[in-house]
């Protein structure tokens, strides 16, 4: 496996101008996403804020060594709301962020909380117009009777300003909480997913959407599963998948019918009756599903494992990786403290050869699909020194514990890596550890 070193780290407290060490719930990072080129990295938090980081350009002294990520833009994406009809508070927490492909000098991204999706435009301005006819230099409207001559406004240089403006607001499309959004490969549509329905939106139309999946039963007492995540195929605009709380994945084709209640393919691994327990259904719930970049494979994350599926083989996964199997004996206590309901995400690297997902104690795991080797790394303040090399960590289940190992009983379950992102073409990863963002880079790539 590659050797990773610390590239950048950011604390939400510092980003929001807070120098205290207390943890504010609003500062907890809730999503991380690179754009298509990897030059920008966006994070959303429980306070409804979006922070965009930009990668520094190559330095003349070291042309082969790219710079770190620095804050590019910060803006408030969502505010807390109250639904008076249902007497329900709507949190401002950002559930997902998805970038749109760059078409011009500006950048566009979608962000969503539980109910509303917004399209944001992020643009730069380094010139300002001067010489208005109807306004004075302070921007106040002039008395038309005092205007005796017309002027041609001119553009003057100014300090660079990055502006974020909401271009579209897609509201009132969901009764239940939105858990995922996905941009289609046609770059004209996207889908938003809640527990029971998936809606298809046109990026230009905000007042209506098309319902493409609806699993809500006539009688809610008959409800046996909910939708947990959904994603479009990376190149086939008619194909998408969605996962369920029962551990299954359905692949749908929008060409088959307008309402995709009938799936084309159904991916589910049969349960071993000998291993069935009270927690079986809970830990089999899929928290994330991702297509590989080439569109040939699916990756799913449940509570204990990451599975890779071949689209041509529905009856069982092609590969299964144990993320933290040592927690199997701790499921009872994890159920009591609600950790068993944590929703971990998973990501591919740019070549689909390595997968990454998070765990507890600020650990995150990497699995090399070619060599079948895996490594456990830790995102912590101790590793946040400039260019510090990450040392592999090991968890001791029982017996004599070595010096470099940590006992499973010593794991801190309040520290968890739920959200990660991988640069689309380079070995650069972003890891969200509660209210801290860590960015690591592969040392072998830099030194080559």
């Amino acid at each position: 496996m590659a050797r990773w070193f610390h590239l950048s780290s950011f604390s939400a407290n510092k980003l929001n101008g807070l120098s205290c060490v207390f943890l504010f719930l609003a500062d907890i990072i809730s999503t991380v996403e690179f754009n298509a080129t990897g030059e920008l990295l966006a994070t959303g938090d429980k306070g409804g804020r979006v922070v965009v980081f930009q990668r520094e350009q190559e330095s003349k002294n070291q042309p082969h060594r790219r710079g770190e990520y620095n804050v590019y833009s910060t803006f408030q994406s969502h505010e807390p709301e109250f639904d008076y009809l249902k007497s329900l508070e709507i949190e401002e927490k950002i559930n997902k962020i998805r970038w749109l492909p760059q078409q011009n000098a500006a950048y566009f991204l979608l962000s969503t909380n539980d109910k509303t999706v917004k399209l944001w435009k992020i643009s730069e301005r380094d010139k300002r117009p001067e010489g208005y006819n109807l306004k004075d230099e302070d921007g106040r409207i002039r008395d038309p009777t005092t205007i005796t001559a017309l002027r041609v406004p001119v553009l003057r240089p100014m300090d660079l300003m990055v502006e974020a403006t909401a271009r579209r607001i897609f509201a009132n499309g969901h009764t239940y909480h939105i858990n995922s959004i996905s941009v289609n490969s046609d770059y004209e549509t996207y889908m938003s997913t809640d527990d029971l329905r998936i809606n298809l939106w046109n990026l230009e139309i905000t007042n209506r959407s098309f319902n493409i999946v609806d699993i809500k039963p006539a009688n809610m007492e008959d409800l046996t599963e909910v939708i947990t995540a959904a994603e479009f195929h990376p190149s086939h605009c008619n194909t998408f998948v969605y996962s369920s709380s029962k551990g299954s994945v359905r692949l749908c084709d929008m060409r088959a019918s307008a309402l995709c209640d009938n799936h084309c393919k159904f991916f589910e691994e049969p349960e071993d009756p000998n291993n069935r327990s009270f927690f079986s259904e809970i830990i089999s719930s899929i928290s994330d599903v991702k297509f590989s970049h080439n569109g040939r494979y699916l990756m799913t994350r449940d509570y204990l494992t990451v599975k890779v599926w071949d689209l041509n083989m529905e009856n069982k996964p092609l590969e299964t990786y144990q993320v933290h199997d040592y927690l199997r004996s701790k499921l009872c206590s994890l159920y009591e403290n609600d950790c068993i309901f944590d929703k971990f995400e998973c990501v591919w690297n740019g070549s689909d050869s390595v997968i990454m997902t998070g765990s507890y104690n600020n650990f995150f795991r990497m699995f090399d699909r070619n060599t079948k080797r895996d490594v456990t790394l830790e995102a912590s303040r101790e590793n946040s020194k400039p260019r510090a090399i990450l040392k592999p960590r090991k968890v001791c289940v029982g017996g004599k514990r070595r010096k470099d190992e940590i006992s499973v009983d010593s794991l801190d379950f309040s520290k968890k890596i739920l959200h990660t992102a991988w640069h689309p073409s380079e070995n650069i990863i972003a890891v969200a550890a509660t209210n801290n963002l860590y960015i690591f880079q592969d040392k072998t790539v830099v030194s080559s």
Side-chain angles (χ1 to χ4, degrees):
M1 296 289 288
R3 296 181 66 194
W4 296 85
F5 72 91
H6 173 262
L7 186 63
S8 309
S9 62
F10 303 90
S11 171
N13 288 343
K14 293 181 180 178
L15 292 175
N16 298 323
L18 302 172
S19 58
C20 56
V21 297
F22 300 107
L23 174 60
F24 291 87
L25 291 177
D27 295 329
I28 296 176
I29 297 173
S30 53
T31 184
V32 185
E33 188 77 11
F34 280 102
N35 73 338
T37 63
E39 294 302 302
L40 297 180
L41 171 67
T43 66
D45 63 25
K46 288 192 173 182
R49 292 175 294 265
V50 172
V51 181
V52 180
F53 302 88
Q54 184 181 47
R55 197 176 184 189
E56 289 183 351
Q57 299 300 316
E58 293 182 1
S59 64
K60 294 182 180 179
N61 298 330
Q62 296 173 309
H64 299 293
R65 187 169 181 173
R66 296 299 305 273
E68 299 179 355
Y69 284 83
N70 292 315
V71 177
Y72 179 63
S73 175
T74 303
F75 58 93
Q76 188 73 29
S77 176
H78 288 72
E79 300 282 355
E81 301 175 44
F82 190 82
D83 188 336
Y84 290 95
L85 291 176
K86 299 179 180 178
S87 296
L88 183 69
E89 291 185 2
I90 302 174
E91 291 184 353
E92 65 272 35
K93 172 194 168 189
I94 306 298
N95 292 338
K96 293 290 179 182
I97 289 175
R98 290 293 181 264
W99 289 92
L100 273 65
Q102 188 176 3
Q103 305 290 341
N104 48 41
Y107 302 97
F108 291 86
L109 63 82
L110 290 169
S111 64
T112 183
N113 66 346
D114 287 340
K115 297 293 183 181
T116 304
V117 183
K118 295 184 180 182
L119 174 64
W120 289 91
K121 176 184 178 182
I122 303 172
S123 56
E124 297 181 353
R125 188 153 62 93
D126 59 358
K127 294 181 176 62
R128 68 174 183 272
E130 290 183 358
Y132 285 104
N133 290 290
L134 301 179
K135 297 179 182 178
D136 58 23
E137 298 304 326
D138 296 328
R140 292 174 294 188
I141 301 297
R142 297 171 60 188
D143 184 358
T145 60
T146 63
I147 301 175
T148 58
L150 295 179
R151 299 181 293 179
V152 178
V154 294
L155 295 175
R156 303 291 187 192
M158 60 174 284
D159 293 337
L160 180 66
M161 179 184 298
V162 181
E163 297 177 318
T165 54
R167 298 301 301 271
R168 306 274 192 280
I169 298 178
F170 306 89
N172 305 319
H174 289 272
T175 304
Y176 307 98
H177 291 176
I178 299 173
N179 54 47
S180 62
I181 52 177
S182 178
V183 180
N184 202 348
S185 59
D186 61 10
Y187 307 140
E188 294 180 358
T189 57
Y190 77 92
M191 65 179 176
S192 56
T193 307
D194 66 27
D195 291 344
L196 300 179
R197 294 188 177 101
I198 300 177
N199 291 338
L200 182 68
W201 301 80
N202 188 296
L203 286 165
E204 300 295 328
I205 302 173
T206 61
N207 59 354
R208 64 181 181 271
S209 60
F210 189 78
N211 182 223
I212 54 176
V213 172
D214 187 349
I215 67 169
K216 182 180 179 180
N219 184 356
M220 285 295 283
E221 293 181 358
D222 298 331
L223 183 67
T224 59
E225 63 180 333
V226 296
I227 302 172
T228 56
E231 187 176 65
F232 271 117
H233 190 280
S235 56
H236 300 159
C237 62
N238 55 283
T239 306
F240 67 94
V241 295
Y242 67 92
S243 58
S244 85
S245 58
K246 276 197 166 183
S248 60
V249 177
R250 293 169 174 86
L251 185 140
C252 301
D253 189 337
M254 291 189 289
R255 297 172 301 182
S257 63
L259 191 61
C260 301
D261 285 349
N262 295 321
H263 49 268
C264 297
K265 293 189 176 184
F266 183 77
F267 303 88
E268 185 178 44
E269 185 176 23
E271 183 184 6
D272 185 353
N274 297 324
N275 294 331
R276 180 159 184 81
S277 68
F278 170 78
F279 307 106
S280 295
E281 189 168 328
I282 301 175
I283 64 176
S284 66
S285 175
I286 295 175
S287 57
D288 196 15
V289 58
K290 294 278 176 61
F291 273 106
S292 60
H293 293 85
N294 59 18
R296 172 68 187 275
Y297 304 101
L298 279 174
M299 174 169 56
T300 60
R301 171 70 206 264
D302 56 43
Y303 190 69
L304 294 178
T305 66
V306 173
K307 297 173 182 176
V308 176
W309 302 78
D310 190 320
L311 289 187
N312 297 323
M313 188 170 67
E314 303 173 49
N315 60 337
K316 63 177 181 178
L318 189 67
E319 303 158 16
T320 300
Y321 301 97
Q322 300 294 334
V323 179
H324 38 216
D325 197 52
Y326 46 78
L327 296 182
R328 198 174 291 274
S329 61
K330 302 285 184 181
L331 292 179
C332 186
S333 58
L334 291 168
Y335 178 79
E336 291 174 353
N337 62 18
D338 285 343
C339 284
I340 200 170
F341 301 105
D342 287 333
K343 301 183 184 303
F344 293 94
E345 297 175 2
C346 53
V347 291
W348 304 86
N349 72 336
S351 61
D352 300 328
S353 61
V354 181
I355 56 182
M356 175 175 62
T357 190
S359 182
Y360 293 104
N361 208 72
N362 280 356
F363 289 168
F364 59 98
R365 303 268 282 140
M366 290 185 178
F367 303 93
D368 191 313
R369 298 180 58 210
N370 297 324
T371 64
K372 304 303 178 184
R373 295 172 60 190
D374 62 87
V375 65
T376 301
L377 300 173
E378 182 182 6
S380 65
R381 293 184 180 276
E382 289 72 21
N383 296 329
S384 61
K385 298 177 182 178
R387 305 288 165 176
I389 301 293
L390 294 184
K391 296 180 180 179
R393 302 300 305 270
K394 291 184 179 181
V395 178
C396 174
V397 179
K400 191 174 182 180
R401 182 170 61 90
R402 296 181 181 178
K403 183 179 180 181
D404 58 342
E405 293 180 338
I406 181 171
S407 170
V408 66
D409 297 319
S410 303
L411 296 176
D412 188 344
F413 293 104
S414 65
K415 297 179 179 180
K416 58 193 77 172
I417 304 295
L418 301 177
H419 314 288
T420 59
W422 202 306
H423 190 288
S425 57
E426 299 182 37
N427 273 351
I428 298 176
I429 57 175
V431 177
T434 317
N435 66 326
N436 295 301
L437 176 70
Y438 298 94
I439 302 176
F440 304 108
Q441 185 169 0
D442 179 7
K443 181 176 176 60
T444 58
V445 174
V446 176
S447 59
S448 60

